[in-house]
Amino acid sequence: MAGDVTASPLVVDAFQAEIGATEPWPDDVCLYQQYQVEQITFPDYANCLSVKTFLYMCGLDFRVEVRTNAEEMSPSGKVPFIHVGAFLVSELDPIIAFVNARGFNLTTEMTDTQRSEMRAYMAMIENILVNAELYLAWLDDTVSMEVTKPRYGCPYPWPLSWMLPLRKQREVSARLASNGWKDKTLPQVCEEVRTCCRALSERLDQQDFFFGDNPTELDAMVFGHLFTVLTTSLPEGHFAEIIQQFPNLTNFCQKIDERYFKQN
């Protein structure tokens, strides 16, 4: 059963050392997430979409398996995670490392300097967009009460449908408190998002991808987060309005959607 198999970072490292690029990509790979229409929260879906985009960019086949308890099945307690043979690997960075070990790498043509720059932009997204999404989803009273908590609690009977979202909210609040985001105001969070989008817009310029003619994991990550914000209906539309101020970012999202999703 998928939920019984785990893969720690050490296991992934050992796996990389053992097989390198000798193993083919299996034809029965599964990506696990919560139900998209009624359950998954938009920060979680942004992470899932980033991983799906990365796998599509690598030309790898997989099927999506939806489970109400996907979060509990994950070895890290976060979605998405992939089930590949005897391994479960969760979250974007470990999945990238795992896929690279199979011989599928989007950055082989990049210089070391470009790779370092790419990782810096990915860290910026993690430090700004991811925290901003969590803030809006769980700490904004309107979004939390009207959207996030009902979706997170929908698979469970009362009182779990009330208790589990409250517990998750406390976890997110503690995370945001630890990195200085909990005490920000919504206008301050919006300004952080604007700064991040401006930096991404300047780096992308008029290119199809952030680093030349071919996609990288940065492109997958940017698309996953920006497209989710742009297409998710929320009572607070501040983030989507900010992204729409950068036409090259919205055009980028449209092109990625058409290239990798409308053909799959």
Side-chain angles (χ1 to χ4, degrees):
M1 182 177 177
D4 294 331
V5 188
T6 60
S8 69
L10 291 177
V11 171
V12 174
D13 290 342
F15 174 80
Q16 291 176 330
E18 180 180 350
I19 71 165
T22 62
E23 291 290 332
W25 187 254
D27 58 7
D28 60 349
V29 173
C30 294
L31 181 147
Y32 286 84
Q33 65 171 65
Q34 302 98 327
Y35 282 87
Q36 183 170 326
V37 175
E38 60 269 58
Q39 182 189 4
I40 197 168
T41 65
F42 84 88
D44 281 344
Y45 185 68
N47 294 327
C48 292
L49 187 57
S50 296
V51 171
K52 292 175 187 176
T53 308
F54 169 72
L55 294 175
Y56 282 140
M57 287 176 171
C58 290
L60 301 175
D61 293 327
F62 64 95
R63 73 174 189 272
V64 177
E65 292 284 342
V66 291
R67 297 286 189 275
T68 57
N69 64 335
E71 198 172 53
E72 288 77 18
M73 293 170 62
S74 169
S76 70
K78 298 179 180 179
V79 293
F81 66 93
I82 57 173
H83 184 196
V84 185
F87 296 89
L88 286 186
V89 189
S90 62
E91 303 182 71
L92 180 61
D93 278 346
I95 289 172
I96 289 171
F98 187 87
V99 169
N100 288 348
R102 291 274 185 168
F104 303 95
N105 195 318
L106 298 178
T107 63
T108 53
E109 302 300 320
M110 296 173 65
T111 66
D112 290 342
T113 300
Q114 288 176 321
R115 291 190 191 95
S116 296
E117 186 181 358
M118 181 194 71
R119 299 304 299 179
Y121 278 100
M122 293 179 71
M124 179 185 68
I125 294 169
E126 185 71 28
N127 292 331
I128 297 179
L129 283 185
V130 172
N131 284 327
E133 290 164 1
L134 291 171
Y135 180 102
L136 185 63
W138 290 102
L139 298 192
D140 181 88
D141 290 340
T142 302
V143 177
S144 176
M145 292 300 295
E146 295 184 11
V147 180
T148 311
K149 287 182 177 179
R151 290 180 69 85
Y152 193 85
C154 74
Y156 310 102
W158 192 89
L160 287 177
S161 61
W162 172 78
M163 295 171 60
L164 294 180
L166 190 62
R167 184 181 69 180
K168 181 68 174 182
Q169 186 180 46
R170 286 197 294 264
E171 292 174 0
V172 172
S173 181
R175 167 181 168 160
L176 295 178
S178 69
N179 56 31
W181 276 73
K182 182 181 178 182
D183 294 330
K184 291 181 184 289
T185 64
L186 183 57
Q188 288 174 327
V189 172
C190 288
E191 189 55 38
E192 294 272 12
V193 172
R194 183 174 291 104
T195 299
C196 181
C197 287
R198 184 179 298 112
L200 292 172
S201 177
E202 291 173 355
R203 183 65 183 83
L204 180 63
D205 198 24
Q206 300 305 312
Q207 302 176 109
D208 287 339
F209 303 106
F210 282 90
F211 287 90
D213 298 328
N214 298 305
T216 67
E217 43 260 44
L218 173 64
D219 296 277
M221 191 178 192
V222 171
F223 173 76
H225 288 275
L226 297 191
F227 190 80
T228 296
V229 172
L230 287 169
T231 57
T232 300
S233 178
L234 295 172
E236 301 282 2
H238 304 300
F239 292 179
E241 292 170 2
I242 292 169
I243 297 169
Q244 289 164 353
Q245 295 170 10
F246 301 91
N248 64 336
L249 294 182
T250 58
N251 290 338
F252 166 83
C253 289
Q254 182 179 355
K255 290 177 182 177
I256 297 296
D257 182 42
E258 291 174 353
R259 180 167 181 170
Y260 294 103
F261 287 88
K262 292 186 177 178
Q263 299 177 7
N264 289 289

